[in-house]
Amino acid sequence: MRWSDQGVGVDDGALPGLGKAGLVRSVQTPEFEGVTFHEVLAKSALNQVPDAANLPFRFTVNTFRGCTHACRYCFARPTHEYLDLDAGRDFDSQVVVKLNVAAVLRKELRRRSWTRETVALGTNTDPYQRAEGRYRLMPGVISALAESATPFSILTKGTLLRRDLPLLRQAAQKVPVSIGISLAFHDAELQKAIEPGTPSPKARLELIRAVADAGFAPHVMVAPVIPYLTDSVSHLESLIAALADAGAAGVTAFPMHLRGATKPWFLEWLAAEHPALVRRYRGLYGRGAYVTPEYSAWLAARMRPLVERHGLSGAAGLRAAASAGAPAPGPTPEALTLF
């Protein structure tokens, strides 16, 4: 990836929410037309997850804020509002890069208080979005975790993960390493409309195969399942069959949830592209962020035979939640979970 002829602007306090604190420079380049990268020096790397989140991990590391994958449904969009940026186009085009994340992480992992709990990567924004090819933050993060004997998991849509498979194999000799791939579409045209910056379904299926060939048991997040667009038997059957053929070890699935500013951003797209569905979405989501419990149960019943037929239900079997609670954004490698 060439970054020649890039434009560099030294910040004068113009980046809302960050001011001058930690900001090194703002970068634009022809390879990322319309995108500005705000390079910062982070004060911390490990994020502790609140107990109330009820997730299967307590610590995360995020190398970026914002994501050029531009997924319409991304639950992380509202976090950009903390920077006084909007959760729509700014989230896709104003990306914060933590230049020193690996060095800060090493320091934090050396603390006597660190108990080597599993760290989840890719729970907020994707660590293998395209910019990782330029910044190469993940090799340092992976090495820091492995050298400190800290187990970790990775969840990504990015095929750049293939670059680090040799390093991940080395890390797996020291600590448990879980790799999850997110792929909720088998229809490439629909995927491009809703996730315009992500690799194609074919490319991600090839990534799953590469991860399996490297000796890992790739877990796949068939998530989010988008009501009335990707929940048909034909779409789910073709996707699950392709995942099994590519070497997936198990899947996790849950319906799309639309929290905060993500909801109007997605519904704007829905009204423009599928206006006939707007009324149905109002009935399904109401004023909340989650689908009805009845839809969750219906989707679980639809998914169960497909997953079991292709041997992807995992060792712990299939679990369908009784309520529409918040889904875990990271890989859950032992079961198909529908929320």
Side-chain angles (χ1 to χ4, degrees):
M1 184 182 302
R2 295 181 297 105
W3 274 52
S4 58
D5 301 322
Q6 66 184 13
V8 177
V10 178
D11 178 72
D12 60 355
L15 181 61
L18 283 181
K20 298 180 180 179
L23 187 64
V24 176
R25 63 179 183 173
S26 296
V27 180
Q28 294 179 330
T29 174
E31 284 80 1
F32 289 87
E33 184 177 356
V35 178
T36 300
F37 294 102
H38 303 288
E39 301 174 350
V40 304
L41 296 179
K43 295 181 180 180
S44 63
L46 282 169
N47 310 300
Q48 186 164 351
V49 178
D51 292 339
N54 194 30
L55 298 179
F57 46 81
R58 292 208 313 136
F59 292 92
T60 67
V61 171
N62 296 298
T63 52
F64 299 100
R65 293 187 68 166
C67 186
T68 57
H69 283 341
C71 302
R72 277 276 169 178
Y73 55 76
C74 183
F75 65 88
R77 287 184 174 277
T79 63
H80 244 45
E81 295 177 328
Y82 300 138
L83 305 177
D84 291 337
L85 297 169
D86 73 59
R89 297 196 184 281
D90 282 351
F91 183 84
D92 303 337
S93 63
Q94 304 291 322
V95 179
V96 178
V97 185
K98 301 176 184 179
L99 295 177
N100 62 333
V101 63
V104 174
L105 179 61
R106 286 181 186 276
K107 182 178 179 180
E108 293 175 336
L109 296 174
R110 286 197 297 266
R111 293 172 180 169
R112 292 184 179 181
S113 59
W114 177 241
T115 58
R116 297 179 176 83
E117 294 189 49
T118 298
V119 172
L121 310 171
T123 62
N124 195 17
T125 53
D126 200 314
Y128 285 104
Q129 58 180 285
R130 281 181 58 213
E132 169 62 16
R134 164 63 173 87
Y135 286 103
R136 298 185 63 87
L137 303 176
M138 283 297 286
V141 170
I142 292 168
S143 296
L145 292 166
E147 291 166 9
S148 68
T150 298
F152 62 93
S153 67
I154 296 174
L155 176 63
T156 185
K157 296 182 175 83
T159 53
L160 272 167
L161 173 74
R162 296 181 73 160
R163 180 201 66 195
D164 290 344
L165 281 175
L167 182 60
L168 288 165
R169 289 187 65 181
Q170 294 175 18
Q173 295 175 6
K174 301 177 181 179
V175 297
V177 176
S178 172
I179 298 178
I181 310 299
S182 178
L183 178 55
F185 297 87
H186 202 224
D187 181 330
E189 184 176 347
L190 186 58
Q191 170 264 328
K192 201 64 178 177
I194 300 178
E195 303 177 343
T198 63
S200 69
K202 179 180 178 182
R204 276 181 271 176
L205 287 169
E206 292 172 351
L207 173 63
I208 292 166
R209 192 179 304 279
V211 171
D213 289 345
F216 293 95
H219 194 80
V220 179
M221 297 289 281
V222 180
V225 176
I226 300 178
Y228 315 127
L229 290 176
T230 66
D231 59 1
S232 68
V233 170
S234 59
H235 180 271
L236 293 172
E237 168 66 33
S238 64
L239 176 58
I240 298 300
L243 295 176
D245 182 66
V251 300
T252 294
F254 52 77
M256 180 175 64
H257 60 288
L258 297 169
R259 291 200 296 262
T262 300
K263 190 173 185 178
W265 183 247
F266 181 85
L267 293 180
E268 177 187 331
W269 172 85
L270 189 74
E273 300 296 329
H274 301 277
L277 292 180
V278 172
R279 185 174 180 180
R280 299 180 73 181
Y281 266 68
R282 288 174 181 164
L284 187 60
Y285 286 90
R287 295 184 179 181
Y290 301 98
V291 297
T292 62
E294 291 78 13
Y295 180 89
S296 289
W298 173 85
L299 183 59
R302 171 159 289 190
M303 287 289 295
R304 183 176 290 108
L306 302 178
V307 171
E308 291 179 349
R309 180 159 63 247
H310 292 285
L312 294 178
S313 57
L318 184 73
R319 179 170 66 89
S323 64
T332 309
E334 293 186 341
L336 169 70
T337 309
L338 289 137
F339 293 88

